[in-house]
Amino acid sequence: MNYFSSDFKLGILGGGQLGKMLLAETRKYDIQTYILDPSTAAPSQFGATQFFVGDLMDYATVYEFGKKVDVLTIEIENVNLDALDSLEAEGLAVYPSPKTLRLIQNKGTQKDFYVGNTIPTSPHQRFSSVTALQESGLSFPFVWKCAQFGYDGNGVKIVRTATDLENLPDVECIAEQMVPFKNELAVIVARSVSGEVKTYPVVEMEFHPEANQVEYVICPARIDATVAEKATEIAMKVSNAFNHVGLLAVEMFQTHDNTILVNEVAPRPHNSGHYSIEASYTSQFENHLRAILNLPLGSTASKVAGIMVNLVGAEGFSGPVVYENIEKIMAIEGVTPHIYGKRETRPFRKMGHVTIVNEDMTQARQIAEEVKNSIRVIS
């Protein structure tokens, strides 16, 4: 198939900020891009060749959309897998495959998969509902996760007492043993249709203590080389087990004795790889395209140290968004803002990110702190 033909159509399920950043890379090629998203205000609506509004979990909607394109990919896991099965059976190239997505879409199934493939992860139990969890007599504390449809810190809660369970949705869930850790790490693995594999450097993630969202992504991670090597090896083992095509972001814990435990994965471009747009020779978005189109993968090495700061809605503000002091941060050398184009802000909603690049990691981290303290996402 000629991927550089004007007649070639790439379909993307999901039109959020990941889709928007993916579209910036598709413009390097002479291809058409079709996007399906449930929101008329999706960030990707302006960059696609054609934009369709529809329910990603509806069989007929996803199936009919897939019939319009030559290759189908995702920017969100919560899509109708039965429709993808039908499309794949009829010969459409779907990456990642519905088989891979089935193992990942439900976090209980995902955790069971790690156990079955001797991939190190924290102990867990599955429950059909929060009611069943309450009746189990499980001892506190533990980490509660809804099995499906969680995102951006939603659907995850540290449960220290029975009271913490009272306002949780009564849905299928898992309870994970709490892991005392000193670092949260991530490795992005790119795998092409023909099996070429490359890994990005290990990144370190700093989280907001209340929102359970990543505040900073730091590349390279400030860890020993032996720990970085171990994390990369485990990420490769996870990638081989899932046999995905495209990107796989593997999130991990580094414990105090330097054990590496897999937390969870995302089979798509990921927040932990946004730094790569400015700091890497090939961004995660370009390598996702190269992988699903079976083109040679680009270099995943970094040109300079990179830190990403997430821009999230400030507490106490909901409504039409205003980015306060954006001119101030743009005056700083090595600072690049990315605004996702969401019109409405609310507390902790991801509205954009800022990348800081610098040859000196210490200086980059200081500038990141300045950026974080300067810009405010308000209404």
Side-chain angles (χ1 to χ4, degrees), residues 261-273:
L261 300 174
V262 174
N263 178 22
E264 55 188 52
V265 299
R268 52 170 170 74
H270 189 255
N271 191 255
S272 64

PDB file of all heavy atoms in Angstrom, residues 261-273:
ATOM      1  N   LEU A 261       8.254  -2.624  39.401  1.00  0.00           N
ATOM      2  CA  LEU A 261       6.932  -3.229  39.296  1.00  0.00           C
ATOM      3  C   LEU A 261       6.125  -2.485  38.242  1.00  0.00           C
ATOM      4  O   LEU A 261       6.091  -1.249  38.231  1.00  0.00           O
ATOM      5  CB  LEU A 261       6.195  -3.161  40.636  1.00  0.00           C
ATOM      6  CG  LEU A 261       6.838  -3.858  41.832  1.00  0.00           C
ATOM      7  CD1 LEU A 261       6.045  -3.558  43.097  1.00  0.00           C
ATOM      8  CD2 LEU A 261       6.916  -5.364  41.601  1.00  0.00           C
ATOM      9  N   VAL A 262       5.449  -3.228  37.360  1.00  0.00           N
ATOM     10  CA  VAL A 262       4.617  -2.600  36.339  1.00  0.00           C
ATOM     11  C   VAL A 262       3.304  -2.148  36.977  1.00  0.00           C
ATOM     12  O   VAL A 262       2.639  -2.931  37.663  1.00  0.00           O
ATOM     13  CB  VAL A 262       4.345  -3.569  35.170  1.00  0.00           C
ATOM     14  CG1 VAL A 262       3.350  -2.960  34.180  1.00  0.00           C
ATOM     15  CG2 VAL A 262       5.650  -3.912  34.456  1.00  0.00           C
ATOM     16  N   ASN A 263       2.943  -0.884  36.743  1.00  0.00           N
ATOM     17  CA  ASN A 263       1.677  -0.359  37.235  1.00  0.00           C
ATOM     18  C   ASN A 263       0.583  -0.614  36.199  1.00  0.00           C
ATOM     19  O   ASN A 263      -0.320  -1.398  36.426  1.00  0.00           O
ATOM     20  CB  ASN A 263       1.829   1.139  37.545  1.00  0.00           C
ATOM     21  CG  ASN A 263       0.539   1.779  38.007  1.00  0.00           C
ATOM     22  OD1 ASN A 263      -0.368   1.104  38.486  1.00  0.00           O
ATOM     23  ND2 ASN A 263       0.427   3.086  37.841  1.00  0.00           N
ATOM     24  N   GLU A 264       0.678   0.037  35.045  1.00  0.00           N
ATOM     25  CA  GLU A 264      -0.277  -0.204  33.969  1.00  0.00           C
ATOM     26  C   GLU A 264       0.313   0.283  32.658  1.00  0.00           C
ATOM     27  O   GLU A 264       1.382   0.890  32.635  1.00  0.00           O
ATOM     28  CB  GLU A 264      -1.620   0.484  34.248  1.00  0.00           C
ATOM     29  CG  GLU A 264      -1.539   1.965  34.516  1.00  0.00           C
ATOM     30  CD  GLU A 264      -2.881   2.537  34.968  1.00  0.00           C
ATOM     31  OE1 GLU A 264      -3.502   2.004  35.916  1.00  0.00           O
ATOM     32  OE2 GLU A 264      -3.306   3.536  34.366  1.00  0.00           O
ATOM     33  N   VAL A 265      -0.390   0.018  31.566  1.00  0.00           N
ATOM     34  CA  VAL A 265       0.105   0.396  30.241  1.00  0.00           C
ATOM     35  C   VAL A 265      -0.965   1.160  29.472  1.00  0.00           C
ATOM     36  O   VAL A 265      -2.147   1.096  29.797  1.00  0.00           O
ATOM     37  CB  VAL A 265       0.544  -0.829  29.403  1.00  0.00           C
ATOM     38  CG1 VAL A 265       1.671  -1.576  30.075  1.00  0.00           C
ATOM     39  CG2 VAL A 265      -0.644  -1.743  29.108  1.00  0.00           C
ATOM     40  N   ALA A 266      -0.514   1.866  28.433  1.00  0.00           N
ATOM     41  CA  ALA A 266      -1.414   2.533  27.492  1.00  0.00           C
ATOM     42  C   ALA A 266      -0.914   2.227  26.086  1.00  0.00           C
ATOM     43  O   ALA A 266       0.250   2.486  25.780  1.00  0.00           O
ATOM     44  CB  ALA A 266      -1.436   4.036  27.738  1.00  0.00           C
ATOM     45  N   PRO A 267      -1.762   1.669  25.207  1.00  0.00           N
ATOM     46  CA  PRO A 267      -1.325   1.257  23.865  1.00  0.00           C
ATOM     47  C   PRO A 267      -1.498   2.359  22.824  1.00  0.00           C
ATOM     48  O   PRO A 267      -2.176   2.193  21.810  1.00  0.00           O
ATOM     49  CB  PRO A 267      -2.251   0.074  23.575  1.00  0.00           C
ATOM     50  CG  PRO A 267      -3.528   0.461  24.268  1.00  0.00           C
ATOM     51  CD  PRO A 267      -3.147   1.270  25.481  1.00  0.00           C
ATOM     52  N   ARG A 268      -0.849   3.489  23.056  1.00  0.00           N
ATOM     53  CA  ARG A 268      -1.054   4.686  22.228  1.00  0.00           C
ATOM     54  C   ARG A 268      -0.036   5.740  22.647  1.00  0.00           C
ATOM     55  O   ARG A 268       0.661   5.559  23.645  1.00  0.00           O
ATOM     56  CB  ARG A 268      -2.473   5.220  22.459  1.00  0.00           C
ATOM     57  CG  ARG A 268      -2.767   5.414  23.959  1.00  0.00           C
ATOM     58  CD  ARG A 268      -4.026   6.151  24.260  1.00  0.00           C
ATOM     59  NE  ARG A 268      -4.372   6.098  25.666  1.00  0.00           N
ATOM     60  CZ  ARG A 268      -3.777   6.773  26.637  1.00  0.00           C
ATOM     61  NH1 ARG A 268      -2.751   7.560  26.368  1.00  0.00           N
ATOM     62  NH2 ARG A 268      -4.179   6.668  27.891  1.00  0.00           N
ATOM     63  N   PRO A 269       0.041   6.870  21.944  1.00  0.00           N
ATOM     64  CA  PRO A 269       0.837   7.991  22.463  1.00  0.00           C
ATOM     65  C   PRO A 269       0.363   8.337  23.873  1.00  0.00           C
ATOM     66  O   PRO A 269      -0.814   8.171  24.208  1.00  0.00           O
ATOM     67  CB  PRO A 269       0.551   9.122  21.473  1.00  0.00           C
ATOM     68  CG  PRO A 269       0.193   8.419  20.201  1.00  0.00           C
ATOM     69  CD  PRO A 269      -0.552   7.184  20.625  1.00  0.00           C
ATOM     70  N   HIS A 270       1.295   8.846  24.684  1.00  0.00           N
ATOM     71  CA  HIS A 270       1.009   8.949  26.131  1.00  0.00           C
ATOM     72  C   HIS A 270       1.594  10.234  26.701  1.00  0.00           C
ATOM     73  O   HIS A 270       2.591  10.764  26.192  1.00  0.00           O
ATOM     74  CB  HIS A 270       1.618   7.728  26.830  1.00  0.00           C
ATOM     75  CG  HIS A 270       1.244   7.562  28.260  1.00  0.00           C
ATOM     76  ND1 HIS A 270       2.124   7.857  29.287  1.00  0.00           N
ATOM     77  CD2 HIS A 270       0.105   7.127  28.844  1.00  0.00           C
ATOM     78  CE1 HIS A 270       1.530   7.586  30.440  1.00  0.00           C
ATOM     79  NE2 HIS A 270       0.303   7.161  30.198  1.00  0.00           N
ATOM     80  N   ASN A 271       0.972  10.699  27.769  1.00  0.00           N
ATOM     81  CA  ASN A 271       1.418  11.915  28.451  1.00  0.00           C
ATOM     82  C   ASN A 271       2.908  11.880  28.789  1.00  0.00           C
ATOM     83  O   ASN A 271       3.588  12.903  28.736  1.00  0.00           O
ATOM     84  CB  ASN A 271       0.579  12.085  29.725  1.00  0.00           C
ATOM     85  CG  ASN A 271       0.749  13.434  30.371  1.00  0.00           C
ATOM     86  OD1 ASN A 271       1.415  13.561  31.394  1.00  0.00           O
ATOM     87  ND2 ASN A 271       0.164  14.470  29.793  1.00  0.00           N
ATOM     88  N   SER A 272       3.424  10.699  29.106  1.00  0.00           N
ATOM     89  CA  SER A 272       4.838  10.583  29.490  1.00  0.00           C
ATOM     90  C   SER A 272       5.791  10.754  28.305  1.00  0.00           C
ATOM     91  O   SER A 272       7.004  10.821  28.491  1.00  0.00           O
ATOM     92  CB  SER A 272       5.093   9.231  30.173  1.00  0.00           C
ATOM     93  OG  SER A 272       4.860   8.163  29.274  1.00  0.00           O
ATOM     94  N   GLY A 273       5.238  10.850  27.086  1.00  0.00           N
ATOM     95  CA  GLY A 273       6.093  11.023  25.908  1.00  0.00           C
ATOM     96  C   GLY A 273       5.950  12.363  25.219  1.00  0.00           C
ATOM     97  O   GLY A 273       6.562  12.604  24.177  1.00  0.00           O
TER      98      GLY A 273
END
